[in-house]
Amino acid sequence: MKPTELKPEIYWVGAIDWAVRDFHGYVTPNGTTYNNYLILDDQITLLDTVKHEFSGVTIRNIKRLTDPSKIKNIVINHIENDHVASIGDIMNLAPDATIYISEHGKKGLDRFFDTTRWNIRIVRTGDTISIGKRTLLFLETPMLHWPDSMMTYIKEDKLLISQDAFGQHYASAARFDDEFISCFSAAELEDAVKDYYANILMPFGTLIKNKIADIQKLGLEIDMIAPDHGVIWRKDPFKIINMYLDMATGKADLRVAIIYDTMWHSTEQMSVPIMQGIKDQGVDVKVVKLRANPISLAVKEFWKARGCLVGSPTLNNSMFPTIAEFLTYLKGLRPKGRLVGAFGSYGWMGGAVKDVYEEFRKMGLEMVEQGVQVIYKPSPEDEQNCYDFGREFASRVKEYHKYFE
Ligand code: FEO
């Protein structure tokens, strides 16, 4: 893909990764992009690099616009491998460039690379550099989502280079939000944003709200937001800001996600009348079988719904391993504002439902107890109990949802 001009003399010089499906364990069925940007001002400036296997791609893109040895400044907004791993190759071509990076970023860079010969300047929130016609303003965003993370604002172009924030894991030929929507749909783009937020940014809602408030206090006018993954928000940058504010304040749909696994179909059979009970209370339901779907998809569905029921068979007096894996991943994301419950089957001794509630308790989520359990295989009476539990749970979800309206 050729460089794409997003503002006069400011170019996307990144790479499209059509094939990646496992992004450090986060399943990416649509691939992703690694976005970095080149400004052809008096001092040629590169913002971020790309994953190392695409180093040659970004270097070719840069060479289409300039001789890389002419790069004077390199801004490193984030040191995770997918953005910084090509810096060694770039520095070999532009050894006199000055790197601008946060203090935490510098510490990490020193661990990943031999930086002894590189010119490095540590920057903090509010620091600026003039590169000719343009001024770059740096904004530290620690823990969004690494300690080193920062953003760069280009004042004259009202352009925010937002690094991971506001991104999406989606490989496409579209570089901009309006192009994506005309090729696919606004709903598909929103779904990609939610998937990314749920799996990466869910723990940081309060930080996100505070950082957006900081940007507003600084009075920065924003005309375009260019993240390091997915499309650039040129048509409607406030759409993504408002989506982030909604997600950071716990917005969810009035829906229940049923996330389950099963050994001999008993737990699966329970999920059917539970689903029907929820539906008959007028609440939407999404059912996800864990062994048929990646955990990252289950987390997205958990995040989109106000309520979640987890169904697990009992294996060796414990919850099923895929359920344990899902709950471990979910716990790390520190979910809030979701009502939860559990159901499951067992043979001679229970254990799974108790284990699931114990995990939810550790997460501090509000629960509907005691859930529902079935020995061996659901009888017609058990199926009625499951249906009643579904209705009761949906009714509680409707009440709980009102707190967030
Ligand atoms: Fe896209 Fe935190 O790296």
Side-chain angles (χ1 to χ4, degrees):
M1 193 100 182
K2 288 191 306 188
T4 304
E5 193 171 43
L6 48 149
K7 291 274 188 179
E9 301 175 307
I10 302 179
Y11 294 86
W12 174 89
V13 287
I16 305 173
D17 191 344
W18 301 97
V20 65
R21 293 293 179 269
D22 181 345
F23 194 99
H24 59 48
Y26 169 1
V27 173
T28 49
N30 298 306
T32 194
T33 70
Y34 312 107
N35 301 339
N36 59 336
Y37 304 95
L38 188 74
I39 310 175
L40 298 181
D41 208 319
D42 298 347
Q43 295 181 18
I44 294 175
T45 299
L46 180 69
L47 296 117
D48 296 316
T49 75
V50 295
K51 196 175 178 183
H52 192 249
E53 65 202 78
F54 293 92
S55 167
V57 174
T58 195
I59 288 169
R60 267 199 304 282
N61 284 339
I62 292 167
K63 282 182 174 171
R64 285 181 165 126
L65 297 165
T66 189
D67 175 348
S69 68
K70 292 183 177 166
I71 294 173
K72 280 273 182 272
N73 309 306
I74 299 172
V75 177
I76 297 178
N77 282 318
H78 181 28
I79 58 160
E80 193 162 3
N81 291 24
D82 51 327
H83 306 298
V84 84
S86 299
I87 187 69
D89 294 345
I90 302 276
M91 288 305 286
N92 285 340
L93 297 170
D96 297 326
T98 299
I99 291 173
Y100 295 85
I101 192 166
S102 68
E103 189 172 1
H104 273 294
K106 164 78 165 62
K107 285 180 190 159
L109 199 68
D110 290 344
R111 300 291 298 181
F112 288 127
F113 298 92
D114 176 2
T115 63
T116 46
R117 294 180 183 206
W118 295 353
N119 305 317
I120 300 178
R121 270 189 53 190
I122 290 172
V123 291
R124 296 187 168 78
T125 293
D127 288 352
T128 59
I129 59 167
S130 171
I131 60 169
K133 297 188 284 296
R134 294 175 181 80
T135 311
L136 308 190
L137 166 69
F138 302 108
L139 299 162
E140 292 167 279
T141 55
M143 295 320 298
L144 289 178
H145 67 124
W146 276 24
D148 61 282
S149 300
M150 68 174 197
M151 299 183 185
T152 302
Y153 177 70
I154 305 168
K155 284 186 178 175
E156 292 73 11
D157 297 283
K158 300 176 185 170
L159 170 60
L160 183 67
I161 307 292
S162 64
Q163 190 263 309
D164 274 334
F166 308 128
Q168 330 90 50
H169 283 314
Y170 208 119
S172 81
R175 295 278 62 75
F176 298 100
D177 52 348
D178 50 300
E179 288 178 348
F180 185 97
I181 289 167
S182 60
C183 287
F184 302 98
S185 70
E188 187 144 2
L189 183 52
E190 281 180 22
D191 194 68
V193 168
K194 287 177 185 173
D195 186 78
Y196 186 92
Y197 186 100
N199 281 282
I200 296 178
L201 294 165
M202 192 195 297
F204 307 120
T206 304
L207 286 172
I208 287 165
K209 276 188 290 181
N210 292 343
K211 192 45 68 179
I212 291 175
D214 285 351
I215 290 171
Q216 287 166 338
K217 266 188 241 155
L218 287 168
L220 305 184
E221 289 182 67
I222 292 176
D223 179 60
M224 188 182 290
I225 296 176
D228 278 4
H229 297 288
V231 298
I232 296 160
W233 302 89
R234 81 171 166 190
K235 180 165 185 287
D236 192 359
F238 290 95
K239 179 186 173 72
I240 186 67
I241 290 175
N242 289 330
M243 274 189 80
Y244 264 53
L245 283 172
D246 282 347
M247 291 187 286
T249 47
K251 188 171 180 185
D253 297 331
L254 178 55
R255 181 184 306 137
V256 174
I258 297 178
I259 295 165
Y260 78 97
D261 218 325
T262 197
M263 289 172 66
W264 292 106
H265 302 292
S266 293
T267 304
E268 187 165 62
Q269 196 179 329
M270 294 173 76
S271 71
V272 177
I274 291 173
M275 179 202 70
Q276 190 63 51
I278 295 166
K279 189 164 176 281
D280 288 353
Q281 274 287 0
V283 174
D284 187 20
V285 200
K286 176 79 180 182
V287 181
V288 178
K289 178 181 176 181
L290 272 179
R291 283 214 311 293
N293 290 284
I295 284 180
S296 41
L297 181 140
V299 162
K300 176 180 70 174
E301 295 303 336
F302 170 91
W303 176 245
K304 285 163 70 175
R306 180 60 69 205
C308 177
L309 286 173
V310 167
S312 176
T314 295
L315 178 67
N316 298 327
N317 301 346
S318 302
M319 60 184 151
F320 201 61
T322 52
I323 298 291
E325 188 185 11
F326 165 70
L327 292 173
T328 299
Y329 183 58
L330 184 65
K331 188 165 58 184
L333 292 166
R334 302 200 294 275
K336 289 189 182 71
R338 302 298 187 273
L339 188 68
V340 294
F343 64 95
S345 59
Y346 63 99
W348 46 103
M349 290 267 288
V353 169
K354 181 172 139 296
D355 284 356
V356 173
Y357 275 112
E358 194 50 43
E359 291 305 310
F360 281 146
R361 195 165 286 111
K362 288 181 200 161
M363 294 181 215
L365 291 170
E366 196 160 322
M367 301 182 289
V368 175
E369 294 185 274
Q370 304 285 321
V372 58
Q373 297 191 70
V374 159
I375 185 162
Y376 286 126
K377 181 177 168 32
S379 65
E381 189 185 349
D382 290 326
E383 290 193 331
Q384 182 62 46
N385 288 340
C386 287
Y387 175 83
D388 292 344
F389 178 63
R391 282 197 76 116
E392 167 63 15
F393 187 77
S395 160
R396 294 279 298 273
V397 168
K398 281 200 276 192
E399 284 302 309
Y400 185 69
H401 191 60
K402 287 178 186 165
Y403 295 121
F404 300 90
E405 294 285 84

